[in-house]
């Protein structure tokens, strides 16, 4: 019967979880008992002494090896598997068993003889060194196993593990005492009326295994059997509180966090480790209201007094009648997170101070809108921080460079390889500008691509000062030349007029012609000098940007032209309310030149028409001045905007060739472009753009 029980127990253990090492070792620990009990049946039932001596060695395979198997099982169960799984340890563990089996089977017997009793046969112990070795091996291995169970029983935090270890510690004692009495002491004393029953008493030990398996699930991987183990091995601290907020359970992580052992906190109120009364009060109020708490930051008090920041989550535990019976609280250590946050804040503060107090302007633009600027940058442009944020960057770029800089910025943010550092002019709030060296780099700002830039004012650098000095000298030279040229020209024109008016009759026809040519050439030269001076001034003049109504400006210019030549019949078409931003005086000069050109070159058309309007394109608004005048061959269009380049003779149409060059310079200074389309005897259209 005992053999059958051991076999059934082996099958039961393996079926619980055949892949688990602990299950397999437990089954192996039962195998010596199967061999021992089976051999004992054959030994006791032998018909002769020779047969009994033969069967005496069969049980030796069991009682010689079971201490080794038991030690391996106890080491695996108590968490010493790293040692027990080493091949050298396994060899050393089974070496005594192999020696004892060898001695018993080779004639150096531990049990050397048998005697006949009423119930069968009894083995006689041999007084040999082999017996002494076997006894030492048996006592040491079993003692170590029992000690491991005791130590684990005292240290385990999980109830099912403690109870299983308790059984493994207690059940060997009656087995060893009773088995030794019947199988060793009684035969030695000559008491033969009690049969050897050690293999039967081992059922007590094996029964403890079976009970632990069924009662505490220590060897089966089930939710019920592993719930405590999961809680105990979690990295987060777990507290279970009763209805009075007293601690009834904590897992192993509490020692790593607070240095308290679970036993030291058992039965203590939660307030014993909560750092502040306010935390306890807020937790109680929130749980009473919603039944749960999620990621609330509080401080727990460690055993050494350290205040430890944690994130806690808590919920009310209810019994089978849906009544609150306690709380479960999990706490996550966030000391490293708090340290990281503090270091990040310090780093941010350090770089913020560095940026805010930098001697250069620093800003960030995203989608061509300023989203950040330091105080230096705002001051350089004459704005407050509140005024400059959310401002389009085109508003702070000099009009002559605006189109290029905006196009470059857009390409850079799309990933194009654009120059990072270059020189440009910034437009200040009062309309003035300054030269700056700018450096750009792409960054991620609030999850999107942006451009971080820094600027240094280089207006007062040595090279800039030298350049400005050279410009001033050139301007002075230009003024001197023009003044020196204009003075004799005025004399020539003045005296020529006097001669023509007062002494015209004194000259013959050829002399009058020569004098008229001198007067006309002098007047033309004066116009050329005035045009050059005007063109030069446009390149150096300050831009004062404001809103300009081009429609009204064109109406006024055309009205002045009609007043000068009232006899002409010219149809004018002007788009309404076309407004732009620019320098009013310069734009007036540009529109005067364009409209005067149209007026002049339609003079031979009896049905003259001049039109001003605006068209929308992919690049924005395109403005135009169109006429149905004489037109020209587009092969010569490149010459049109160069000073003194004329496509018609002076006798056909008067002019200096400076007007369109002046228009181009004005449009470029505003950051725009100008081009022309024309067809001979059909008309001409001048197109130009201005940044919005």
């Amino acid at each position: 019967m005992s053999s059958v029980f051991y076999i059934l127990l082996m099958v039961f253990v393996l079926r619980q979880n055949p892949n688990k090492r602990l299950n397999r070792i437990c089954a192996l620990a039962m195998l010596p008992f199967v061999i021992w009990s089976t051999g004992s049946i054959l030994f006791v039932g032998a018909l002769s002494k020779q047969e009994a001596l033969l069967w005496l060695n069969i049980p030796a395979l069991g009682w010689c090896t079971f201490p080794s198997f038991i030690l391996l099982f106890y080491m695996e169960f108590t968490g010493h598997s790293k040692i027990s799984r080493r091949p050298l340890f396994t060899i050393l563990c089974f070496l005594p068993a192999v020696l004892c089996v060898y001695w018993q089977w080779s004639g150096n017997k531990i049990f050397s003889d048998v005697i006949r009793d009423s119930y069968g046969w009894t083995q006689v112990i041999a007084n040999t060194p082999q017996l002494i070795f076997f006894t030492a091996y048996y006592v040491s291995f079993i003692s170590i196993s029992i000690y491991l169970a005791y130590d684990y029983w005292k240290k385990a935090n999980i109830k099912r593990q403690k109870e299983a270890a308790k059984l493994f510690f207690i059940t060997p004692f009656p087995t060893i005492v009773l088995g030794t009495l019947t199988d060793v002491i009684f035969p030695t004393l000559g008491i033969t009326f009690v049969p050897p029953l050690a293999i039967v008493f081992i059922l007590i030990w094996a029964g403890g295994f079976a009970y632990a398996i069924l009662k505490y699930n220590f060897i089966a991987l089930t939710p019920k059997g592993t719930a405590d183990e999961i809680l105990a091995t979690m990295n987060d601290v777990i507290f279970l509180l009763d209805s009075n907020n007293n601690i009834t359970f904590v897992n192993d992580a509490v020692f790593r966090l607070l240095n308290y052992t679970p036993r030291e906190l058992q039965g203590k109120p939660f307030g014993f480790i909560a750092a502040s009364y306010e935390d306890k009060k807020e937790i109680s109020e929130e749980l009473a209201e919603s039944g749960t708490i999620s990621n609330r930051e509080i401080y727990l008090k460690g055993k050494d007094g350290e205040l430890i920041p944690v994130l806690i989550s808590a919920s009310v535990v209810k019994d089978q009648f849906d009544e609150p019976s306690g709380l479960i609280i999990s706490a996550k250590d966030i000391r490293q997170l708090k340290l990281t946050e503090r270091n990040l804040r310090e780093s941010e503060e350090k770089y913020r101070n560095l940026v805010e107090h930098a001697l250069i302007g620093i800003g960030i633009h995203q989608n061509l809108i300023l989203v950040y600027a330091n105080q230096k940058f705002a001051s350089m442009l004459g704005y407050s921080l509140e005024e400059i944020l959310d401002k389009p960057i085109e508003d702070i770029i000099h009009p002559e460079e605006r189109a290029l800089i905006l196009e470059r910025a857009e390409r850079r943010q799309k990933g194009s390889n654009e120059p990072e550092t270059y020189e440009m002019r910034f437009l200040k709030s009062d309309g003035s500008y300054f030269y700056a060296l700018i450096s750009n780099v792409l960054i991620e700002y609030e999850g999107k691509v942006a451009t971080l830039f820094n600027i240094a004012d280089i207006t007062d650098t040595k090279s800039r000062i030298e350049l400005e000095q050279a410009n001033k000298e050139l301007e002075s030279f230009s003024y001197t030349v023009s003044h020196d040229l204009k003075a004799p020209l005025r004399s020539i024109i003045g005296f020529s007029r006097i001669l023509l008016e007062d002494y015209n009759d004194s000259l013959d026809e050829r002399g009058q012609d020569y004098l008229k040519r001198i007067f006309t050439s002098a007047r033309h030269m004066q116009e050329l000098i005035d045009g050059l001076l005007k063109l030069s001034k446009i390149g150096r003049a300050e831009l004062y940007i404001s809103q300009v109504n081009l429609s009204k400006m064109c109406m006024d210019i055309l009205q002045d032209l009609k007043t000068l030549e009232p006899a002409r019949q010219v149809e004018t078409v002007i788009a309404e309310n076309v407004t732009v931003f620019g320098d009013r005086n310069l734009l007036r000069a540009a529109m005067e030149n364009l409209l005067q050109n149209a007026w002049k070159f339609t003079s031979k058309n009896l049905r003259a028409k001049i039109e001003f309007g605006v068209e929308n394109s992919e690049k924005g608004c395109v403005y135009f001045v169109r006429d149905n005048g004489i037109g020209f061959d587009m092969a010569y269009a490149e010459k049109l905007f160069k000073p003194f380049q004329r496509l018609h003779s002076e006798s056909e149409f008067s002019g200096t060739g400076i007007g369109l060059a002046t228009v181009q310079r004005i449009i470029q200074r505003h950051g725009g472009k100008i081009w022309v389309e024309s067809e001979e005897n059909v008309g001409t259209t001048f197109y130009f753009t201005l940044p919005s």
Side-chain angles (χ1 to χ4, degrees):
M1 287 297 294
S2 60
S3 299
V4 174
F5 177 80
Y6 293 133
I7 292 172
L8 291 176
L9 187 58
M10 289 174 64
V11 174
F12 173 69
V13 168
L14 289 174
R15 289 190 63 184
Q16 294 298 311
N17 191 344
N19 296 320
K20 192 172 182 180
R21 179 180 169 87
L22 183 62
N23 294 52
R24 297 197 299 268
I25 294 178
C26 183
L28 286 174
M30 302 297 173
L31 183 60
F33 300 151
V34 173
I35 298 172
W36 188 353
S37 59
T38 302
S40 296
I41 293 171
L42 297 173
F43 167 70
V44 172
L47 299 177
S48 65
K49 184 174 182 178
Q50 288 75 16
E51 186 181 351
L53 287 172
L54 176 65
W55 291 118
L56 179 63
N57 292 338
I58 299 299
L61 294 172
W63 51 258
C64 286
T65 58
F66 94 87
S68 298
F69 282 110
I70 288 294
L71 179 60
L72 281 179
F73 170 74
Y74 270 67
M75 292 193 73
E76 186 75 22
F77 171 72
T78 57
H80 295 82
S81 58
K82 288 185 178 180
I83 299 174
S84 62
R85 294 182 186 186
R86 293 177 180 174
L88 180 60
F89 179 84
T90 303
I91 293 172
L92 294 176
C93 185
F94 281 94
L95 184 59
V98 172
L99 288 174
C100 290
V101 170
Y102 172 74
W103 288 333
Q104 181 66 30
W105 281 65
S106 63
N108 300 313
K109 297 182 179 294
I110 298 170
F111 290 93
S112 59
D113 200 2
V114 295
I115 57 175
R116 183 78 183 192
D117 289 316
S118 56
Y119 50 80
W121 300 93
T122 299
Q123 64 265 30
V124 178
I125 297 175
N127 188 15
T128 62
Q130 287 77 11
L131 175 64
I132 298 173
F133 178 85
F134 170 77
T135 303
Y137 151 63
Y138 174 86
V139 171
S140 61
F141 275 41
I142 297 300
S143 298
I144 292 172
S145 300
I146 293 174
Y147 173 75
L148 290 174
Y150 174 79
D151 184 64
Y152 192 70
W153 171 28
K154 294 301 180 182
K155 292 181 178 179
N157 293 320
I158 301 174
K159 183 178 180 180
R160 67 186 184 88
Q161 292 177 339
K162 292 180 71 72
E163 295 300 325
K166 183 179 178 180
L167 278 174
F168 294 160
F169 169 70
I170 293 174
T171 52
F173 285 103
T175 298
I176 293 170
V177 171
L178 295 175
T180 302
L181 190 64
T182 59
D183 285 41
V184 179
I185 296 177
F186 283 177
T188 302
L189 297 177
I191 301 174
T192 59
F193 64 87
V194 179
L197 297 175
I199 192 60
V200 178
F201 294 136
I202 289 176
L203 287 172
I204 300 174
W205 201 343
F209 281 32
Y211 184 79
I213 294 170
L214 291 171
K215 178 69 176 176
Y216 304 115
N217 297 291
F218 84 93
I219 211 165
L221 187 61
T222 63
K224 179 179 182 301
T226 59
D228 288 343
E229 185 172 353
I230 292 172
L231 289 175
T233 57
M234 285 179 64
N235 289 328
D236 292 350
V237 171
I238 302 295
F239 298 96
L240 294 180
L241 311 183
D242 61 19
S243 57
N244 296 318
N245 287 338
N246 293 324
I247 298 172
T248 60
F249 170 83
V250 293
N251 63 348
D252 295 342
V254 73
F255 179 76
R256 296 191 294 270
L257 181 68
L258 303 177
N259 288 327
Y260 284 109
T261 64
R263 186 177 300 177
E264 289 174 317
L265 293 179
Q266 190 76 23
K268 295 285 195 306
F270 184 70
F272 179 72
I273 55 172
S276 68
Y277 172 77
E278 287 75 14
D279 286 340
K280 292 179 285 184
K281 183 179 179 182
E282 289 178 6
I283 292 172
S284 300
E285 291 175 352
E286 189 167 341
L287 283 172
E289 181 178 345
S290 63
T292 60
I293 289 177
S294 180
N295 293 329
R296 167 71 65 79
E297 182 179 334
I298 68 168
Y299 284 84
L300 296 180
K301 185 167 54 179
K303 189 174 182 179
D304 57 0
E306 179 187 2
L307 298 181
I308 301 170
V310 295
L311 282 180
I312 70 162
S313 297
S315 60
V316 175
V317 178
K318 296 184 178 181
D319 60 18
Q320 58 183 334
F321 303 106
D322 203 31
E323 293 293 330
S325 60
L327 300 174
I328 180 169
I329 299 175
S330 66
K332 184 177 182 64
D333 185 2
I334 58 172
R335 281 177 291 187
Q336 187 59 44
L337 177 63
K338 300 288 281 186
L339 178 61
T340 302
E341 288 179 349
R342 186 182 69 189
N343 291 338
L344 182 59
R345 283 196 303 271
E346 291 176 354
S347 177
E348 288 179 346
E349 185 66 24
K350 178 168 60 178
Y351 285 106
R352 186 181 297 110
N353 289 332
L354 181 64
V355 170
E356 293 298 335
H357 297 90
L359 296 177
I360 60 174
I362 299 175
I364 299 173
H365 70 79
Q366 196 171 60
N367 298 324
L368 306 182
I369 302 295
L370 283 167
V371 294
Y372 172 79
N374 68 347
Q375 184 61 56
K376 179 65 175 178
F377 181 72
S379 301
M380 292 168 77
L381 295 170
Y383 293 99
S384 66
L385 282 175
E386 292 75 15
E387 291 172 332
I388 202 167
L389 289 179
D390 298 326
K391 183 178 287 293
I393 62 171
E394 63 180 292
D395 291 352
I396 60 173
I397 301 173
H398 193 283
E400 291 184 4
E401 301 171 358
R402 187 174 293 154
L404 173 63
I405 300 300
L406 291 178
E407 186 177 353
R408 185 177 285 172
E410 288 180 338
R411 290 200 302 262
R412 182 184 297 109
Q413 291 208 356
K414 291 178 181 178
S416 176
N417 186 19
E418 297 297 316
E420 294 181 356
T421 304
Y422 48 86
E423 183 181 318
M424 62 174 289
R425 285 175 289 177
F426 279 93
L427 196 64
K428 300 174 71 171
S429 61
D430 60 3
S432 61
Y433 65 90
F434 65 92
Y435 289 88
L437 189 66
I438 185 170
S439 178
N440 302 271
V441 63
L442 288 182
I443 63 169
E444 183 177 306
Y445 185 80
E446 295 185 349
K448 297 180 180 178
V449 176
T451 299
L452 170 69
F453 63 89
N454 58 76
I455 67 170
D457 187 346
I458 59 173
T459 304
D460 295 329
T461 60
K462 182 178 180 181
S463 59
R464 182 67 60 193
I465 294 172
E466 291 175 351
L467 179 59
E468 289 183 354
Q469 183 64 33
N471 286 335
K472 288 180 181 179
E473 291 175 358
L474 180 60
E475 183 179 353
S476 176
F477 175 76
S478 299
Y479 176 79
T480 301
V481 170
S482 64
H483 182 271
D484 292 346
L485 286 176
K486 289 177 74 174
L489 276 176
R490 282 196 299 268
S491 298
I492 295 171
I493 293 171
F495 286 115
S496 297
R497 183 183 292 113
I498 293 172
L499 288 173
L500 286 172
E501 292 175 356
D502 297 342
Y503 299 97
N504 190 45
D505 296 338
S506 301
L507 298 173
D508 59 13
E509 186 177 346
R510 180 176 291 182
Q512 291 176 1
D513 180 58
Y514 288 159
L515 186 58
K516 288 179 181 177
R517 289 187 182 186
I518 292 171
F519 179 78
T520 302
S521 297
R523 287 290 301 271
H524 184 63
M525 186 174 182
Q526 187 179 47
E527 290 174 0
L528 289 175
I529 292 173
D530 290 340
L532 281 173
L533 288 174
K534 186 182 292 184
L535 184 63
S536 176
K537 288 179 180 179
I538 288 173
R540 300 192 304 275
E542 295 282 353
L543 288 179
Y544 296 96
I545 305 300
S546 63
Q547 191 173 30
V548 179
N549 190 321
L550 287 183
S551 298
K552 186 177 183 307
M553 185 179 286
C554 290
M555 290 179 187
D556 294 341
I557 295 169
L558 288 170
Q559 184 60 44
D560 291 341
L561 292 172
K562 288 179 180 180
T563 301
L564 292 173
E565 295 185 68
R568 285 194 60 183
Q569 298 297 317
V570 179
E571 179 187 357
T572 58
V573 180
I574 301 174
E576 296 182 353
N577 296 320
V578 177
T579 59
V580 297
F581 284 90
D583 185 294
R584 183 178 300 275
N585 294 330
L586 291 180
L587 289 177
R588 173 85 184 197
M591 298 309 297
E592 282 179 345
N593 275 289
L594 291 174
L595 292 171
Q596 285 171 0
N597 258 19
W599 186 272
K600 178 169 59 176
F601 291 111
T602 57
S603 61
K604 296 181 180 181
N605 192 333
L606 296 178
R607 294 183 179 181
K609 182 179 180 180
I610 298 174
E611 183 180 357
F612 167 74
V614 60
E615 298 175 351
N616 292 320
S617 70
E618 294 180 356
K619 296 183 178 181
C621 294
V622 177
Y623 309 94
F624 64 87
V625 173
R626 180 177 293 126
D627 66 66
N628 61 348
I630 192 171
F632 61 88
D633 187 348
M634 284 294 291
Y636 303 104
E638 292 183 0
K639 294 182 177 181
L640 203 62
F641 296 107
K642 295 180 179 180
F644 310 124
Q645 296 292 322
R646 292 172 50 82
L647 302 183
H648 304 282
S649 65
E650 178 70 21
S651 60
E652 190 178 7
F653 294 101
S654 63
T656 61
I658 295 294
L660 290 179
T662 301
V663 173
Q664 185 186 51
R665 181 70 63 87
I666 292 172
I667 297 301
Q668 287 178 344
R669 287 214 58 192
H670 280 78
K673 296 179 180 179
I674 185 168
W675 65 98
V676 65
E677 293 179 2
S678 184
E679 184 177 349
E680 288 185 285
N681 300 316
V682 174
T684 302
T685 303
F686 286 93
Y687 296 95
F688 63 92
T689 62
L690 293 171
S692 60

